[in-house]
Each structure stands twice: as structure tokens, then as C-alpha cells.
Amino acid sequence: MVGSFRDKLIDALVKSKLVKEQDLKAALDIQHKFGGSLGKILIERGFIAEKELMVVMSKQLNIPPIDLSKYKVDKSLIDLIPEKVARQYSLVPVSRLGKVLTVAMSDPLNLFAIDDLKMLTKFQIDPVIATENDIKEAINNYYGGHAQEIAKILEEIPQEGVEIKDEGAEEAEEELDIGEMAEESKSAPIVKIVSLILNEAMKRRASDIHIEPCEKSLRIRYRIDGTLHDAFTLPKRNQSAIVARLKIMSKLDITEMRIPQDGRFKINFEGREIDFRVSVLPITFGGKIVLRALDKSSLSTGVDKLGFLPGPMNIFKTALERPYGMLLVTGPTGSGKSTTLYSIITQLNTPERNIVTLEDPVEYEVEGVTQIQAKPEIGLTFSNGLKSILRQSPDIVMVGEIRDFETADIAIKASLTGQLILSTLHTNDSAGAITRLIDMGVEPFLVASSLVLASAQRLMRKICPACKAPVEIPDAVLKRFGLDPADIAKRGVKNFYKGEGCEKCNNSGYYGRLGILEALLVDDKVRDMIMKKTSSDLIKDYAIKELHMMTLRDNAVENFLKGITSFEEVLRVTSED
């Protein structure tokens, strides 16, 4: 059936002259090499408009098309199909008559989807065709926690709001009336929408909110447990007022639309003070805003509550007992380095200690700690700022990141003269921090003398406890990734687990994150290896065999065997050691 339809579709496209013959041939070549839907390839390559293809498919299949933007779906229908299924198969329920459920689908030939829906809903399925973009927008609107509430608020806003043209940001800016935009941003509906966006983000435990102008809409996404999820899609006409509202809250210039801006504001949520760090970036269709949520209450618990395993955590604590020297935390962006450093600072913050930080930007404001914002544009760089800090007789100095030789050199020499220096580097593992410093131009003897500990960390998602279920993993798969089924059985591990997806975890199967830590404590042998410029691989091998260092993979596997995380998450977060 699928093959015959494909032939009919090709014939219809040629007869309608909607697609050039050479474009159709190119799309068929791509499909032959890489697979996938012919229709999707044609749309992605710009060979045909999505709605034009929908009309052609409708005629060939004799299935009616539907414009979802003109339909208002009842919530009782939405409850019949879980969000995970709707997104997986790109479909949304439209109406119900007796035992027949009409479902809008971008691919009405997907027999697996129709069979799954029959089993899930106990209804006969009557498919209609809709564009993939319309279905995605409908899913975002109907499955969001406050979707219905936002729809009601939008009805309060006059339709003749400030419009942004589609030709691009520069032309759009000229059309804006700044006074009108500022007034609209203060109107009750806009204030309510922004408040709902922030509150829903906090309820869903989002670490970041992405507000992204598209050609014909404003897209809202939340980063939850490290992964982005669609939240809402708002009308384009409300974009300028929402952006202006957030800029006003962040004390930014609403008339400036050509250069990036950074700001911050605070809100109270369920008795907690949440800081939002705001970044505005001019893009093709307006100003994209990313808000990073910073909850200071999470720092007061100290390093013990970061979720690290006892072995690496004890090594870390041993290093923190040293009165001076350098401690480095490494890892990619978003691996929790800053949270770890702030937790250490909070734990060490006592009246008898003078603690100074130099950051770009200052993420959390910690009472009792002197915090300095680096400003390279006026000469307040990490290296210049560090020189000034050392004249203030600090006991502990936190440098946001070591980016160059001068900063590294000053920091290392400071750690040799009685200060405890805490900082971060972007490397893949703990041993890599040593070679990175030497590559920057720091003398090996200085690295060997100053470095107390180099650590690497990552964040792993935890299985949602509400939908946690046993899963079978074949022995061959375990062996392929270096896990011995016999050793696992000796440990008494009877089941492996995964999250099936539920309302609590937004159908992701995961709820919350924990840290994994690789801690390399520098001993005399490691110092000798540093002096000889030994490769990071050999240093790591020594640390594993002689110091019994747990690698990131070891940490991840341990959490997997304890049933805290899934096998897929182990493979996603850690590489082969």
C-alpha cells in the first residue's frame, strides 16, 4: 500500500507541476541513500510548500485535509492520547462521534500509529491530514500545563497589537512604536502571560526558559533535567510586548535591538527567591531571550547534597581540607561546575575567612562573600582582577574560569603563597586539566607544586520514581560496553530499570538529576609525572590502577546498578574510559 501510494504521489506531483522534475529526482536520490519520508524530504529541501503537499496527498488518498488553526479541541479528547504518543506519531485528536475518533495526522499511512491508537483509546480511528507544523503547534498549545489559561488571556488582547514584519529583524525594528510597545508590555494580559511562563517553568523544574521568535509565532521552551521541551506557542503579534516586558523586568534598554544584552531579575516562588539571569540575542525574527533560573536555596545544603558517590566525594573533601593550593573542576558547559564551586564556597563561608570571587557573570549572590563581575571591555579581565584581589589578603579565591596563560599563571602563583584557589576548566576528564594548563604555557614544576586536585563532573538524569519499571538488557549488550553479567549477578542486582514516562515527568521517564564525579588527588607520583610532561592518558591509568580513582563511567555504571538511572543515560553521559 505504501509503495503504490508513493508511485501515485510521484505521478501527482509531476502532473501538478508543483515540483520540478530535477528537484523530485534529487529528493528520490536522498530517500534512496538515507531513507525517510519523500514528502518530508521535499519540504525540508524547499522543493514544495507543506500545505501544497498536503492537498496533493489528500487527493491521492481520498482523505480530507484539515486546518487545525480553525479548530478548538475539547480537553476530554486531549486526555485520550498521551503527549508522548502525540509527539511520537505527530498527531492530535480532533473530534469524537460514537466509537469513532477523528485524528489529524501528518502521515495518515502510518499503520503502526493507527493500530497503537486503537489499542490505547479503544476507538475506531478515522484519520484526516494536517501539516506537521500545525500538528506540532496544536500539541504545544493543548498539552501545556497552562495552555487553556493562556488561550483565555490571549483573547483579552486586542488583535491590532504591535506587529513584527517577517522580512527580518532590522526592518521589523523600524516598524515598532517604542512608546506603544512599552505601554502594551504593562497591560494586564501581557503581565499575566509572562508570570504564567515563569511560574510554569518553576513548577516543571526548568533550569532555563527559551523564548524564541520564529517567522510566524513565538516559541517557548523549557530545559528540564538538561533536555529542552516545547511548552507554548504564542501569536507573533504579542512578541514585542512580551520581549519588552522581560527587558523592563531585567532593567534593560527596550529601544536597543541590534546588539546582545545581559540582565537579571528576581521573583519569589513558593517561599523561595529565584534569580533569573537574562540573555537577549538579536536574531532574524526579533530578540531571542534565554532566562537561566538560579535557586540560591540549593546552595545552602553544601557539597554533600550534590548526589556524588561517597568514594569520589571523600577524595574531594580531603582536598578541601588543605589550607592552600589549587582545586580545579572540569567539564563541558551545563555539567554543574558552577553549582559545585558555589556549594563549596557556601560551606567554607565563615566569619574568619575572607572569600573573594571573580566571575563572568556573577551567577549567585552569596551573603558574606566578596563577588566581582569581570568586565573585559573596561580592562577588568580575569588576570587584572586577580592581581587586585591578591592585594586584599584573601583566604579563598574563586575564579570563574581559567581561560588564558596570564590568569593561570597568577592563580597558580597565588596558590603557592597561601591562598586556596578554586576554578574551572573546559576539559573532558580530570587528567586533561593538567595537560591543558601546560599547553597554556604554565611551567610543569608550577603545576606540580600548586595543583591539589583535578576533578571532572557530569550531570545524569534520574529515573522517575512514579513510572519506574524493570527492563531487560541482553547480556551481549552489557558485554559490548564492558559490563560482565556474572559480576553484576554476584552483586545481587536482580533488575535493571527505566522510566516509562508519566504526567509527573512530562513523559520523559526522568525526574531530577544527580552529579557524577571523577576526582584525581595529586600525590608525589603524579607530581613526578607532571614534571616529566607525561601524557594525560598515562596519568589517568596510574590514578585508576594505583589510586583506585573512579572514572565518570564507573560512577555512571554504579548509579545504573543501584537503579537510580538508566542504561541509556550511562551511554549518553559518559564515553568509554
Side-chain angles (χ1 to χ4, degrees):
M1 179 182 174
V2 176
S4 62
F5 169 69
R6 178 178 175 274
D7 295 337
K8 287 180 182 177
L9 177 61
I10 293 168
D11 186 51
L13 288 169
V14 171
K15 285 180 180 176
S16 66
K17 296 183 179 178
L18 289 170
V19 179
K20 295 176 183 175
E21 284 193 36
Q22 63 265 34
D23 290 343
L24 182 57
K25 185 178 182 302
L28 288 167
D29 287 342
I30 293 167
Q31 187 188 39
H32 179 70
K33 287 179 183 176
F34 304 105
S37 159
L38 176 61
K40 198 165 186 178
I41 294 167
L42 289 166
I43 293 165
E44 286 174 351
R45 296 281 166 162
F47 296 153
I48 190 172
E50 195 173 15
K51 292 201 173 177
E52 288 177 339
L53 180 65
M54 182 180 74
V55 171
V56 173
M57 287 178 67
S58 173
K59 286 178 180 176
Q60 286 301 319
L61 293 171
N62 200 24
I63 294 176
I66 187 172
D67 184 351
L68 284 175
S69 64
K70 295 178 181 176
Y71 271 78
K72 189 170 183 179
V73 181
D74 190 87
K75 190 178 185 302
S76 63
L77 295 179
I78 295 298
D79 292 340
L80 290 173
I81 300 176
E83 181 180 358
K84 187 176 182 179
V85 174
R87 290 193 186 280
Q88 180 184 350
Y89 293 127
S90 185
L91 54 84
V92 67
V94 176
S95 65
R96 181 178 63 190
L97 186 61
K99 294 299 291 181
V100 178
L101 181 67
T102 302
V103 179
M105 304 176 68
S106 61
D107 180 9
L109 289 179
N110 190 334
L111 301 180
F112 294 108
I114 292 172
D115 287 344
D116 280 357
L117 287 181
K118 283 179 183 177
M119 292 179 63
L120 184 70
T121 63
K122 312 300 181 191
F123 285 93
Q124 290 298 313
I125 304 302
D126 183 20
V128 292
I129 299 178
T131 66
E132 193 165 345
N133 281 336
D134 281 356
I135 289 173
K136 191 173 182 180
E137 189 168 331
I139 291 171
N140 292 340
N141 287 335
Y142 290 119
Y143 284 93
H146 283 299
Q148 305 293 337
E149 198 170 345
I150 283 187
K152 287 179 184 176
I153 294 169
L154 290 172
E155 289 172 8
E156 300 174 28
I157 303 173
Q159 296 299 303
E160 61 274 9
V162 179
E163 286 278 359
I164 295 185
K165 282 190 170 184
D166 293 336
E167 286 82 6
E170 287 190 20
E171 290 183 28
E173 287 154 16
E174 294 169 7
E175 299 292 320
L176 294 176
D177 182 322
I178 298 300
E180 186 181 341
M181 187 171 71
E183 279 305 309
E184 190 186 357
S185 73
K186 296 174 188 175
S187 70
I190 293 298
V191 172
K192 283 181 190 174
I193 284 176
V194 172
S195 295
L196 274 172
I197 290 170
L198 298 176
N199 275 283
E200 179 73 357
M202 293 300 93
K203 285 179 181 176
R204 291 171 67 174
R205 305 173 296 103
S207 60
D208 301 84
I209 304 170
H210 289 241
I211 299 172
E212 304 166 312
C214 302
E215 185 179 4
K216 296 178 181 177
S217 61
L218 184 66
R219 184 188 193 191
I220 314 294
R221 293 194 289 172
Y222 296 147
R223 189 176 294 280
I224 303 168
D225 295 332
T227 306
L228 278 171
H229 298 267
D230 283 312
F232 314 113
T233 301
L234 301 175
K236 185 74 172 178
R237 64 177 180 273
N238 305 124
Q239 174 180 311
S240 56
I242 289 170
V243 170
R245 173 67 183 163
L246 287 165
K247 281 189 174 184
I248 290 166
M249 291 169 69
S250 310
K251 297 181 174 59
L252 298 176
D253 183 359
I254 66 169
T255 65
E256 181 54 74
M257 299 180 188
R258 297 173 189 272
I259 60 172
Q261 292 177 278
D262 294 299
R264 61 194 311 149
F265 64 87
K266 297 177 183 178
I267 67 166
N268 284 309
F269 177 75
E270 296 181 350
R272 292 179 287 139
E273 189 178 81
I274 309 292
D275 270 358
F276 281 97
R277 198 178 79 207
V278 182
S279 170
V280 185
L281 186 68
I283 63 172
T284 308
F285 301 114
K288 175 178 177 178
I289 299 183
V290 175
L291 300 94
R292 166 68 59 88
L294 305 165
D295 184 359
K296 285 191 283 189
S297 65
S298 63
L299 303 178
S300 59
T301 53
V303 289
D304 288 321
K305 301 296 182 182
L306 293 174
F308 298 135
L309 291 172
M313 191 69 254
N314 289 335
I315 296 171
F316 205 87
K317 286 181 178 177
T318 300
L320 284 174
E321 290 171 1
R322 304 283 181 91
Y324 59 87
M326 176 178 276
L327 276 71
L328 291 176
V329 181
T330 73
T333 301
S335 59
K337 301 188 299 295
S338 295
T339 302
T340 298
L341 288 183
Y342 273 109
S343 297
I344 294 168
I345 288 292
T346 305
Q347 191 166 308
L348 298 178
N349 185 17
T350 58
E352 61 270 17
R353 289 191 177 107
N354 177 20
I355 302 176
V356 185
T357 73
L358 178 60
E359 307 165 67
D360 185 20
V362 173
E363 294 198 14
Y364 298 91
E365 294 171 1
V366 183
E367 191 174 346
V369 174
T370 304
Q371 295 177 273
I372 301 167
Q373 166 75 54
K375 294 180 180 176
E377 66 274 11
I378 61 169
L380 182 52
T381 59
F382 277 110
S383 54
N384 290 338
L386 195 48
K387 287 176 187 174
S388 301
I389 287 170
L390 296 175
R391 300 189 193 109
Q392 297 263 321
S393 184
D395 297 300
I396 300 169
V397 179
M398 184 183 103
V399 182
E401 184 186 345
I402 293 177
R403 298 176 180 172
D404 53 46
F405 164 73
E406 192 174 2
T407 306
D409 190 53
I410 298 166
I412 283 175
K413 287 173 180 174
S415 71
L416 293 172
T417 56
Q419 280 83 31
L420 182 64
I421 305 292
L422 308 173
S423 191
T424 69
L425 274 177
H426 286 282
T427 62
N428 291 327
D429 58 13
S430 53
I434 295 167
T435 50
R436 176 62 59 85
L437 289 172
I438 294 171
D439 288 344
M440 283 182 179
V442 180
E443 291 292 340
F445 77 89
L446 288 174
V447 177
S449 305
S450 62
L451 190 62
V452 174
L453 176 131
S455 69
Q457 71 176 64
R458 300 289 189 276
L459 292 175
M460 296 188 75
R461 293 180 294 174
K462 296 191 289 186
I463 296 171
C464 173
C467 60
K468 186 175 181 178
V471 62
E472 286 189 20
I473 301 175
D475 287 353
V477 174
L478 293 171
K479 287 177 181 176
R480 182 182 167 196
F481 293 98
L483 299 177
D484 188 342
D487 289 344
I488 293 171
K490 284 178 187 176
R491 288 192 50 172
V493 177
K494 295 180 180 178
N495 289 309
F496 305 124
Y497 294 94
K498 69 170 185 176
E500 293 190 320
C502 63
E503 189 176 336
K504 181 179 179 181
C505 62
N506 297 304
N507 291 299
S508 67
Y510 298 98
Y511 189 90
R513 289 189 290 178
L514 78 160
I516 56 173
L517 181 69
E518 178 181 288
L520 170 58
L521 193 65
V522 178
D523 67 357
D524 289 340
K525 175 66 175 175
V526 174
R527 289 190 188 95
D528 186 50
M529 295 172 87
I530 294 171
M531 294 282 284
K532 293 175 181 176
K533 293 187 178 181
T534 305
S535 73
S536 60
D537 289 341
L538 291 176
I539 294 174
K540 186 171 184 176
D541 286 344
Y542 166 77
I544 293 168
K545 292 172 184 174
E546 303 299 328
L547 302 180
H548 308 293
M549 179 183 80
M550 286 186 75
T551 65
L552 290 169
R553 171 59 68 88
D554 293 337
N555 278 254
V557 167
E558 185 67 20
N559 285 314
F560 162 61
L561 296 179
K562 287 181 176 181
I564 297 170
T565 193
S566 68
F567 189 62
E568 289 79 9
E569 190 68 359
V570 172
L571 302 182
R572 185 185 73 86
V573 172
T574 64
S575 59
E576 283 287 354
D577 290 315

